[in-house]
Amino acid sequence: MRLLERMRKEWFMVGIVVAIVGAKLEPSFGVNGGPLKPEITVSYIAVATIFFNSGLSLKTEELTSALVHLKLHLFIQIFTLAFFPATIWLFLQLLSITSINEWLLKGLQTVGCMPPPVSSAVILTKAVGGNEAAAIFNSAFGSFLGIVITPLLLLLFLGSSSSVPFTSIFSQLFMTVVVPLIIGQIVRRYIKDWLERKKPPFGAVSSSVLLMIIYTTFCDTFSSPHIDLDKLSLVLIMFIIVSIQLSFMLLTFIFSTRNNSGFTPADTVAIMFCSTHKSLTLGSLWID
C-alpha cells in the first residue's frame, strides 16, 4: 500500500519510465509517420494544448506583470543565446584534443546554439511552483529570437550555413504558442468563477502532454538506425551533457539568488529551466 501511494504521488516520474520503456518495446508506433502521427499530434496539438492550458490557468495580471519584467528576460535570453553557446565553444576547444568523436562534439555545439524549449520549460516551471508567466514569455520570445540568432550562432561557431524556413517556423510558433495562449485567456474571462471554484488539474494535464512528447522523442531515438560510434565517446558525451546541465543550473541559481539580484524564488525557478534547457523540437527544423 505504501508503495502504491508513493507511486501515485510520483506518477510523473513513473510515467517517464513507462514512456521510455514503451518506446523501446514498440518505437514504430510513435515515430514520425507512425500511427500516433507525432508530426501533427505533438508538433501542433500537444504544444497548443500546453499553451491553451496555461492561458486558462494564468491570471491576466500575472501575464502582464511578466511582460514588463525586463531584467529577468534579459538575463534568460543573454544566458541561453550568448553565454551558453560561447561557453560550450570554449569547452569544446579543450575536448577537441581528446579521442571523443568529432561529430558528437559538433552535435553538442549545435544543441548549445538552440533557443529555449517551447513547452517543457513552461511545464517544469509550473510543476514546482515557479513563475509560469515568465517561463511562457521567455520560451515563446526565445523561440522567435532563435529563428534569426540560431543560424548566426551556427555560422559563427561551426562555420556552417543553411537556409532557414523563416515563414514556416514563425507561423508554427505563432499558431501553437501565441494563438492558444490568447484563446485560453479569452475563455478564462467567461468561466473564471467556475475555474476558481473547481480548480481543474492544469498541472496534471500539462505533465501528461509532456509524457507524450517524451514518448515520441524516444520512439524516434530507438527507431533510428545504429550509428557507428565508439561506446567510449557516447558514454563520455552523456557524462559531459549531464555535467554541463547541472553546472549551468547551479550557476543560474547562484546568480539569481544573490541579495541584490531582484529576483523572487519563483523567478529563480523560471530562470533555471528557461536558461539552461534547449529546444530540440525547434532545432530539428534546421538540423533536418
Side-chain angles (χ1 to χ4, degrees):
M1 289 296 291
R2 187 172 296 178
L3 178 61
L4 289 175
E5 187 176 323
R6 182 69 178 179
M7 290 177 66
R8 192 179 298 114
K9 186 178 180 181
E10 304 292 341
W11 68 271
F12 181 68
M13 298 304 297
V14 174
I16 291 177
V17 175
V18 172
I20 295 173
V21 172
K24 176 65 175 176
L25 294 175
E26 192 57 53
S28 61
F29 184 77
V31 296
N32 282 344
L36 194 58
K37 299 290 182 184
E39 63 273 17
I40 298 174
T41 56
V42 171
S43 298
Y44 292 92
I45 298 175
V47 175
T49 300
I50 290 169
F51 284 93
F52 174 75
N53 190 46
S54 295
L56 271 181
S57 62
L58 278 173
K59 296 177 180 178
T60 304
E61 310 86 74
E62 293 175 335
L63 281 173
T64 305
S65 175
L67 284 175
V68 297
H69 202 334
L70 297 180
K71 185 178 180 180
L72 185 147
H73 306 327
L74 283 172
F75 183 98
I76 291 175
Q77 300 306 327
I78 291 173
F79 190 98
T80 193
L81 292 174
F83 179 82
F84 197 122
T87 303
I88 293 295
W89 182 82
L90 289 172
F91 185 50
L92 292 185
Q93 301 313 298
L94 299 175
L95 293 180
S96 63
I97 62 175
T98 68
S99 60
I100 298 177
N101 186 279
E102 177 188 3
W103 289 103
L104 286 176
L105 297 181
K106 287 184 176 181
L108 186 58
Q109 181 67 71
T110 301
V111 172
C113 294
M114 293 297 148
V118 178
S119 54
S120 60
V122 175
I123 295 172
L124 293 171
T125 299
K126 181 181 180 66
V128 294
N131 189 338
E132 184 188 0
I136 289 172
F137 176 82
N138 282 282
S139 293
F141 184 61
S143 295
F144 282 112
L145 280 179
I147 297 175
V148 176
I149 294 178
T150 292
L152 295 177
L153 291 173
L154 292 174
L155 181 62
L156 175 65
F157 293 118
L158 292 176
S160 60
S161 60
S162 61
S163 57
V164 180
F166 181 90
T167 304
S168 63
I169 297 174
F170 186 90
S171 60
Q172 179 179 343
L173 285 172
F174 186 78
M175 294 304 297
T176 59
V177 175
V178 179
V179 172
L181 183 67
I182 293 173
I183 293 175
Q185 282 284 286
I186 293 172
V187 173
R188 177 181 171 82
R189 292 182 60 186
Y190 293 98
I191 60 171
K192 181 179 178 181
D193 293 338
W194 181 85
L195 290 172
E196 293 180 352
R197 188 171 63 253
K198 294 294 185 180
K199 299 187 183 302
F202 292 116
V205 172
S206 294
S207 296
S208 299
V209 175
L210 182 57
L211 287 178
M212 180 181 174
I213 295 174
I214 292 171
Y215 169 72
T216 56
T217 300
F218 275 94
C219 281
D220 276 334
T221 301
F222 292 132
S223 65
S224 299
H226 294 293
I227 303 172
D228 187 20
L229 293 172
D230 60 284
K231 293 182 179 179
L232 178 60
S233 289
L234 287 172
V235 171
L236 286 175
I237 209 71
M238 288 174 63
F239 174 76
I240 290 168
I241 290 171
V242 172
S243 300
I244 290 173
Q245 184 74 48
L246 293 177
S247 298
F248 279 178
M249 291 186 76
L250 177 60
L251 188 62
T252 55
F253 176 80
I254 292 172
F255 272 100
S256 62
T257 53
R258 293 178 303 166
N259 291 333
N260 60 345
S261 69
F263 298 127
T264 66
D267 293 337
T268 295
V269 173
I271 287 171
M272 290 177 67
F273 285 125
C274 293
S275 299
T276 63
H277 288 58
K278 292 293 183 173
S279 173
L280 287 182
T281 303
L282 188 62
S284 64
L285 292 170
W286 286 296
I287 296 170
D288 290 345

